[in-house]
Each structure stands twice: as structure tokens, then as C-alpha cells.
Amino acid sequence: MTSPRLAWLLVALGALMLVMAPMDLTGIGIPYPGLKRYGTYIMTLWLVTAIAAMGVNLIVGYAGLETLAQAAFVGIGAYVTALMVKAGWPFGLAFLVSGAAAFVVGIVLGFPALRVRKHYLAFVTLAFSVLAWLVFRNEQWLTGGVMGIGDISRPTLFGHSLRRHVDFYWFVLAIAAVLTFALWWIIRSPWGRAFTALRENPIRAESLGVDVRLYTLLAFAIGSAYGGLAGSLYAPLVEFIDPNPFALGPSLLFMLMVVVGGAGRFAGPFVGAAVAVLLPEWLRFAEGFYLLIYAVLVMTMMAFCPTGIVGLLERLLPARRRPPADAGASLLGEAKP
């Protein structure tokens, strides 16, 4: 783990680069023309994807549970926002309702996690993902079916339209920053220590006074809410939604992002989302071979970086001693939730 000073410096530099990414700096003598429209769209999609992946990382990486349903929660958020915006409701309200709807459904989906674990739980969430996709596809009176919902307008902020791709990118970047800080606070709070204890040893955690049922449901609910909020941003980004982006395949891709980036590492979802969203775009110079190259690179990373890319970087960068694996459980005696 890098030192706190270096970590905060890297965060500040990364935030500055993200803010300035679409800006043309040639006017001040810096040979950087800024991202064009498509490049800004891809960066916005990366941020939205990273928000959803953060929810998966909370469920899988920190709480030690399994989920293959995150794309379904992204779909719930996207459809709720699309329907509310089309009905004339403000985007801010639709954004909050989308997160709340995913939160409530996440609690319901979390109940099977109280009785089953590991691959059995993965099958339960897989079944829910298929069920949600069938609803999105077949309930035409509500979702538009395979024809989808179009003309989803982008929001306005203090009377200023975010129709321009650059403005909407900065808007999503600001929301991603707030949600990232919120998750950082959760992980460092007694809740986060309870999640870690739940992952390492549920029986020991329960013996230390952790309400295993409550924190299992909370992990699913909060992680699912991040998926719903990501979907709420996805709908106005693409301005058209249909069931395809919310099928089982994208849910598997969210799991891949967490594993490749580094499960249980805070920066893992951002790195994993970059591998899933940005890397294929960078490889397009290879034309018809880019998907083959992408698959080989991902398999290589999985083979040689079992702890993910962030885990590999932690071993290579100057490090201080990491806490023991069951630190979450040991800390509960000092600060019980």
C-alpha cells in the first residue's frame, strides 16, 4: 500500500487530468488539442461504468459475496430515469429515485445471501439478471420492449443545459467524485470494517457482535444502489436505451472489471473499467484483430496478476506494511458499528 501522501498526490493529479481531458490547451502553448466528441463520450462512459463497478467491488471485494446481477440494476436505474424524464420529472429527482429503487431491490436480492454462499449465490443473482432482462424485453407497455425508449433528454443544471458532450462529461465527473468519496467514507467507517470482517470470517464476525444479516443486506443494497445511479447517468448519456446493455453478458463484464482491476482494492473498479471500456478503443488501430489482442491481454493479466492490476502495482511501488487479512474483524473490538 502506498504512503498516504503519495496516494493523495496521485489522486490530485488524476483528478486534474480528468478535468482537463476535453480542454484544448494549444492556446496556452501546450500541444494538447483536447478530446473530441467521441473521445469525451468514451471517457464519460468509463466514469459511468466505474460507478457501477464500485458497487460490485463493495459486494464482492469488501463483503466477500457474489453477484452477477449488476447490469440488471444498471437497467433498473436507466429505465426509471428514462420514464421519469419522459414524463416531465426533473433529472435530479429521477437520479435519486433510481438509486432508491435499486437499493430496495438490492435488499430483496440480498435475502438469498443469508442462506447460500459462493457459487450458489452467484446462480441466484444470475437468475435475477435473466429475469430482469426478460422484463425489460417483454413488457413493452412499460419499457418499450426491443424498440427501447428514445429521445431521453440530458439534464439542466442551474438553468444551463448539459446537452454539450463536454458539459455532460464534467457533470458526470462531479457526480462520480461525490460517489467515490461516499464509498471511501463507507469503507473507512465501522460499516466498512464490518464488511471486511464479514468477508474474512462470518462466524468470527458474528461472535464479535456484527449483525451478519444486516450487513449482508446492506452490502447488496449499497452496491446495487451504485448500479442504479450509474444507470441513471447512462440513460441521458446514450439518449436511447434498450434491453441489450442490461443482459447477462454485461454483468459478467462487471465482475471481470473488479477481478482484473483488483477485488477489494479501492482503485480497482476504475482500472478494471478502463480495461473494459478504454482498452478496446486504444486497440482499434489493429482493425479486425483488436478483439483478439484484447482477449489475449486480459487472459495474460488474469494469469500473471491474480490480485489484479492494482494489487500488482502495490507490490511494485514503495510500500508500507499492509494490515493483516482479518484486520476488519480485529478492529471491530475497538469500534463496533
Side-chain angles (χ1 to χ4, degrees):
M1 182 182 297
T2 56
S3 66
R5 182 175 299 178
L6 177 59
W8 282 112
L9 178 61
L10 292 175
V11 169
L13 289 176
L16 180 62
M17 292 175 62
L18 289 175
V19 170
M20 300 183 66
M23 298 175 61
D24 185 356
L25 303 180
T26 55
I28 58 175
I30 300 176
Y32 177 71
L35 295 175
K36 304 304 180 184
R37 183 182 183 88
Y38 183 70
T40 306
Y41 166 79
I42 292 298
M43 288 295 293
T44 310
L45 181 61
W46 167 66
L47 290 171
V48 171
T49 304
I51 292 172
M54 281 193 285
V56 179
N57 194 36
L58 177 65
I59 297 172
V60 177
Y62 287 100
L65 303 169
E66 300 290 338
T67 179
L68 294 176
Q70 191 70 342
F73 289 105
V74 175
I76 290 173
Y79 276 104
V80 168
T81 294
L83 293 171
M84 290 187 67
V85 169
K86 295 284 287 185
W89 293 94
F91 175 81
L93 179 60
F95 181 75
L96 296 177
V97 172
S98 297
F103 184 91
V104 172
V105 178
I107 291 178
V108 176
L109 186 61
F111 276 100
L114 302 176
R115 302 182 63 87
V116 297
R117 290 278 175 174
K118 299 303 178 183
H119 55 282
Y120 298 104
L121 179 57
F123 284 132
V124 172
T125 59
L126 183 150
F128 173 78
S129 181
V130 174
L131 174 63
W133 180 76
L134 289 174
V135 172
F136 298 152
R137 185 178 184 273
N138 296 327
E139 300 302 319
Q140 298 184 19
W141 64 274
L142 180 65
T143 65
V146 294
M147 301 303 295
I149 301 176
D151 298 324
I152 304 171
S153 60
R154 291 184 177 175
T156 59
L157 184 63
F158 303 120
H160 175 69
S161 174
L162 301 177
R163 175 68 182 170
R164 292 177 61 242
H165 58 285
V166 175
D167 295 336
F168 190 70
Y169 166 78
W170 281 327
F171 175 71
V172 173
L173 179 60
I175 292 179
V178 172
L179 294 177
T180 301
F181 175 79
L183 188 62
W184 175 83
W185 178 84
I186 290 173
I187 292 171
R188 293 178 63 88
S189 71
W191 286 12
R193 293 193 287 272
F195 291 146
T196 304
L198 181 65
R199 177 192 67 193
E200 299 298 338
N201 193 325
I203 297 177
R204 183 181 179 186
E206 189 170 16
S207 70
L208 291 170
V210 176
D211 190 335
V212 173
R213 295 174 58 89
L214 172 63
Y215 284 101
T216 297
L217 295 177
L218 271 179
F220 263 101
I222 297 174
S224 301
Y226 269 73
L229 296 175
S232 183
L233 295 171
Y234 177 79
L237 170 64
V238 298
E239 301 179 275
F240 170 83
I241 56 172
D242 66 358
N244 289 334
F246 316 121
L248 177 60
S251 286
L252 296 173
L253 187 59
F254 282 122
M255 179 66 79
L256 175 68
M257 294 177 202
V258 172
V259 174
V260 170
R265 268 76 178 184
F266 190 76
F270 295 94
V271 176
V275 171
V277 177
L278 301 182
L279 183 58
E281 299 298 326
W282 296 336
L283 293 175
R284 285 193 183 276
F285 70 90
E287 297 180 350
F289 295 98
Y290 85 97
L291 286 178
L292 177 62
I293 297 172
Y294 173 72
V296 171
L297 287 175
V298 171
M299 288 189 293
T300 302
M301 285 186 286
M302 292 295 296
F304 294 97
C305 306
T307 57
I309 297 175
V310 176
L312 176 64
L313 292 177
E314 287 178 350
R315 294 199 300 269
L316 297 178
L317 292 175
R320 58 186 175 89
R321 186 177 179 182
R322 293 179 61 85
D326 62 347
S330 64
L331 288 174
L332 288 172
E334 302 175 9
K336 292 184 181 181

